Amino acid sequence: MDNRGWNELEIGSALFPFGSDAQVQIEEHNDKRQYTRDSSFTASVAHWRVEKPVHNSQVCINCFNCWVYCPDGAILARDEKLAGVDYVHCKGCGVCVDVCPTNPKSLLMFEDHKDNQEALSAWPQKEDKKKS
């Protein structure tokens, strides 16, 4: 097993999150999976975060784009609906916000120290589309 840190890996390296039985592991919720010690789930990268995504369930259409594209498996889904963000493993990259298709977006980035309820109260309204 390679013991290099994340910053010592070659560009384009792949870190496999499961040692074996990936199909069985992926069917479990991420808090019940047996991750390798090199995965970002086991070795949290949350300390990198300056901004965090906040999820607004009132706007969310449960398209799961954010869940699919999150590089750290930090988007929580329960009972076939998005349930928020796992801030222990979210590094604040913003990919989830970029791929969100709703208007306004159901995930927005806020300063890491901002309370989620405060962020939700400041959520933007739907933008009107201008016809050309």
Side-chain angles (χ1 to χ4, degrees):
M1 172 139 285
D2 197 340
N3 290 323
R4 291 181 286 177
W6 67 268
N7 57 343
E8 299 172 299
L9 296 171
E10 298 292 325
I11 294 173
S13 295
L15 297 178
F16 295 97
F18 310 114
S20 62
D21 297 325
Q23 189 58 46
V24 172
Q25 294 295 321
I26 202 71
E27 291 174 8
E28 296 287 336
H29 283 296
N30 59 359
D31 58 348
K32 297 202 180 336
R33 295 176 186 161
Q34 295 177 1
Y35 289 92
T36 64
R37 68 180 183 82
D38 294 327
S39 75
S40 59
F41 194 85
T42 303
S44 175
V45 291
H47 62 283
W48 296 356
R49 193 174 56 238
V50 175
E51 291 186 312
K52 67 179 179 181
V54 175
H55 177 247
N56 186 333
S57 62
Q58 301 300 310
V59 180
C60 185
I61 60 172
N62 295 302
C63 69
F64 288 88
N65 282 356
C66 56
W67 182 84
V68 168
Y69 286 99
C70 177
D72 294 303
I75 303 297
L76 302 173
R78 298 292 185 267
D79 300 321
E80 299 181 19
K81 291 186 178 182
L82 294 174
V85 179
D86 174 0
Y87 291 119
V88 172
H89 297 98
C90 172
K91 65 183 167 207
C93 67
V95 169
C96 56
V97 174
D98 290 343
V99 299
C100 180
T102 61
N103 173 12
K105 289 186 178 279
S106 61
L107 285 147
L108 291 174
M109 298 300 283
F110 289 90
E111 292 180 11
D112 192 39
H113 61 82
K114 183 170 260 197
D115 179 72
N116 282 12
Q117 289 306 316
E118 184 183 349
L120 288 169
S121 69
W123 215 264
Q125 298 298 311
K126 181 175 183 171
E127 295 178 22
D128 289 329
K129 301 268 183 181
K130 293 181 181 178
K131 294 184 179 180
S132 339

